Amino acid sequence: MTRKGKRLTLIIGALAILGLAAGLVLFALRDNIVFFYTPSELAQKQIAPGARLRIGGLVKEGSVVKNGKDVTFAVTDKTRDLAIAFTGLLPDLFREGQGVVVDGVLGADGAFKADSVLAKHDERYMPKDVADRLKAQGVWQGEKK
């Protein structure tokens, strides 16, 4: 075998080993790559209590109950709901009908004990400064109500 052939064989072997390693890592992470589960996906997966998860969806209208720093609410994907309990300060953007991602542990009773809540603004959000500039240029008219 020539020197060039040996080098080519070494490169192909290294790429094969690297590809195998990447495949094994992706196989091991297959369910952990998901950023969050919706309540319907969580019901389908039947995940064991005590597992650390992220749940995403909309805060169900009329479900928020505040008692001091203790807050309970339901996250919905319009198909299923999941009860969430949280203790602490909620983000300013948290409100009913708004998208949230909660991080915590699923309890044995099916309730979710969250230790962090991330509120998402809607996709139509526009910072005031940018909106004002775009309105001045006549590019953006804002929402019609």
Side-chain angles (χ1 to χ4, degrees):
M1 184 179 280
T2 64
R3 192 171 182 187
K4 188 176 180 180
K6 287 181 184 177
R7 192 177 309 151
L8 185 61
T9 303
L10 181 67
I11 290 172
I12 290 174
L15 288 175
I17 290 171
L18 188 63
L20 180 65
L24 289 173
V25 167
L26 290 175
F27 180 75
L29 295 174
R30 63 185 175 265
D31 275 348
N32 295 329
I33 294 175
V34 176
F35 180 65
F36 62 80
Y37 293 106
T38 64
S40 295
E41 291 171 340
L42 184 65
Q44 290 173 350
K45 292 276 184 186
Q46 297 185 357
I47 295 172
R52 182 150 197 85
L53 302 168
R54 284 190 180 138
I55 305 297
L58 300 173
V59 178
K60 187 175 181 179
E61 298 283 338
S63 68
V64 177
V65 177
K66 293 181 180 179
N67 185 12
K69 286 188 173 182
D70 296 330
V71 181
T72 59
F73 57 96
V75 171
T76 183
D77 59 2
K78 304 289 187 185
T79 304
R80 296 190 73 117
D81 300 340
L82 179 67
I84 308 288
F86 176 71
T87 301
L89 296 174
L90 291 169
D92 291 338
L93 295 173
F94 180 89
R95 62 181 176 267
E96 294 177 352
Q98 192 69 31
V100 292
V101 175
V102 295
D103 192 8
V105 178
L106 184 64
D109 58 353
F112 193 83
K113 174 73 176 151
D115 49 26
S116 71
V117 176
L118 302 173
K120 302 187 306 186
H121 57 77
D122 75 19
E123 63 277 357
R124 294 170 293 181
Y125 171 74
M126 180 74 69
K128 185 175 181 337
D129 293 343
V130 175
D132 290 345
R133 288 182 186 162
L134 291 176
K135 283 180 184 176
Q137 294 173 357
V139 175
W140 188 65
Q141 302 300 317
E143 292 184 33
K144 310 253 187 230
K145 294 185 178 179

